[in-house]
């Protein structure tokens, strides 16, 4: 993109500075070749659009890093063309054949979770934990509790009740054990989706917290043998629609988290 075109799109000096640095890192003559410019855009879009839809972004992030390393190593346009072609060839089938949907795996519950007594649940959690949850939710009357039986025992889901057009709420997941309830996961914003993939015998989980009409904060969790830990997070950002009316989204600000070893 030329400086003039960029100036028409934004008056943010930091954006123009970043764009200039990105152009400088490309081999000489890249921006003068329309085919290379198009493939550069296509490769970058596929990287971050595919990251947004794969079920294991913590692994796919490594794929993107390797692809970017190959692109950055190019010193001439011929090498860059090959590197971009490799990215497009590898990611196009993945992106085009993916049909993302909200995960509804059965790894935690063998049936639907049912409402249970909030007072009873709080008594099992203990006074200190119960008071902390009540403070977070704004009072005992705004707490909900559900339980289910699953392949790994009885699960307790505690959440702050949502009101009006609210779509996010803190949630807590506990598993019943011989010594009482064990905290498995605490998230600031739900809902929690159960994925089909597993780690250390438990299903992977994800959350999607709406930040605005066109942006959601996605987070992914894996079980380390004792509790769930965040392994990756990113912002899913809407960027419009294609010619067929399909909404287009990309992942930005990817943040690797804990390194969880699956045994």
């Amino acid at each position: 993109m030329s400086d003039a075109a960029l100036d028409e799109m934004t008056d943010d000096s930091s954006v123009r500075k970043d764009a200039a640095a990105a152009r400088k890192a490309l081999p000489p003559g890249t921006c003068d070749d329309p085919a290379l410019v198009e493939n550069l855009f296509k490769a970058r879009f596929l990287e971050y659009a595919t990251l947004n839809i794969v079920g294991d972004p913590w692994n796919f992030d490594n794929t993107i890093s390797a692809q970017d390393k190959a692109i950055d190593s190019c010193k001439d346009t011929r090498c860059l063309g090959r590197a971009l072609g490799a990215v497009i060839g590898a990611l196009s089938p993945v992106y085009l054949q993916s049909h993302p949907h909200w995960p509804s795996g059965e790894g935690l519950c063998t049936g639907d979770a049912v409402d249970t007594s909030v007072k009873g649940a709080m008594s099992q959690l203990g006074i200190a934990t119960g008071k902390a949850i009540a403070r977070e939710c704004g009072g005992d009357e705004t707490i909900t509790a559900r339980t289910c039986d699953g392949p790994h025992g009885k699960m307790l889901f505690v959440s702050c009740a949502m009101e009006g057009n609210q779509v996010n709420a803190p949630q807590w997941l506990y598993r019943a054990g011989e010594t009482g309830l064990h905290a498995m996961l605490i998230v600031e914003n739900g809902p929690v989706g159960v994925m089909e993939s597993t780690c250390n015998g438990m299903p992977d989980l994800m959350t999607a917290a709406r930040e605005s009409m066109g942006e959601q904060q996605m987070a992914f969790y894996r079980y380390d043998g004792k509790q769930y830990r965040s392994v990756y997070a990113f912002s899913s950002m809407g960027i419009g629609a294609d010619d067929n009316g399909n909404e287009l989204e990309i992942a930005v600000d990817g943040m690797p988290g804990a390194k969880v070893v699956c045994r």
Side-chain angles (χ1 to χ4, degrees), residues 20-263:
R23 288 198 300 269
K24 187 177 180 180
L26 296 170
T30 297
C31 295
D32 299 324
D33 187 328
L36 273 181
V37 172
E38 180 178 353
N39 282 346
L40 182 60
F41 171 82
K42 185 181 295 185
R44 294 305 190 199
F45 170 79
L46 284 171
E47 284 183 331
Y48 297 107
T50 307
L51 178 62
N52 188 75
I53 61 176
V54 294
D56 59 341
W58 56 90
N59 290 325
F60 191 76
D61 186 75
N62 296 327
T63 299
I64 291 178
S65 296
Q67 292 171 339
D68 288 346
K69 185 176 181 180
I71 292 171
D72 293 342
S73 68
C74 288
K75 304 302 180 184
D76 57 59
T77 55
R78 185 176 181 180
C79 171
L80 180 61
R82 290 196 300 267
L84 294 176
V87 172
I88 295 169
L91 299 187
S92 288
V94 179
Y95 177 73
L96 295 174
Q97 295 173 20
S98 293
H99 303 285
H101 60 277
W102 182 251
S104 56
E106 300 178 349
L108 289 180
C109 302
T110 53
D112 292 337
V114 296
D115 293 337
T116 189
S117 165
V118 173
K119 183 177 180 180
M122 293 299 101
S123 66
Q124 293 182 66
L125 292 174
I127 296 176
T129 299
K131 287 184 175 180
I133 292 176
R135 285 196 301 271
E136 184 71 25
C137 294
D140 293 338
E141 66 278 2
T142 59
I143 301 172
T144 65
R146 296 177 301 139
T147 61
C148 75
D149 291 315
H152 306 284
K154 183 177 288 294
M155 298 291 174
L156 170 66
F157 305 86
V158 178
S159 176
C160 298
M162 293 185 286
E163 300 178 353
N165 61 354
Q166 183 182 359
V167 294
N168 305 321
Q171 295 195 17
W172 297 261
L173 170 64
Y174 298 89
R175 179 168 63 178
E178 295 180 358
T179 58
L181 293 172
H182 175 66
M184 300 282 282
L185 175 67
I186 300 174
V187 297
E188 294 183 359
N189 292 304
V192 176
V194 181
M195 305 176 71
E196 294 182 2
S197 55
T198 63
C199 184
N200 295 314
M202 297 290 288
D204 298 329
L205 305 177
M206 67 173 288
T207 59
R210 192 172 75 180
E211 297 182 336
S212 67
M213 288 299 292
E215 186 174 357
Q216 295 185 95
Q217 183 67 25
M218 314 295 292
F220 298 80
Y221 307 85
R222 310 201 85 184
Y223 183 64
D224 68 0
K226 295 182 179 180
Q227 61 185 9
Y228 279 95
R229 304 184 68 187
S230 175
V231 295
Y232 201 80
F234 62 80
S235 290
S236 177
M237 183 177 295
I239 57 172
D242 62 17
D243 294 338
N244 297 317
N246 300 310
E247 295 295 328
L248 299 176
E249 297 179 339
I250 60 172
V252 297
D253 299 328
M255 296 176 290
K259 300 292 185 182
V260 175
V261 178
C262 301
R263 298 179 176 85

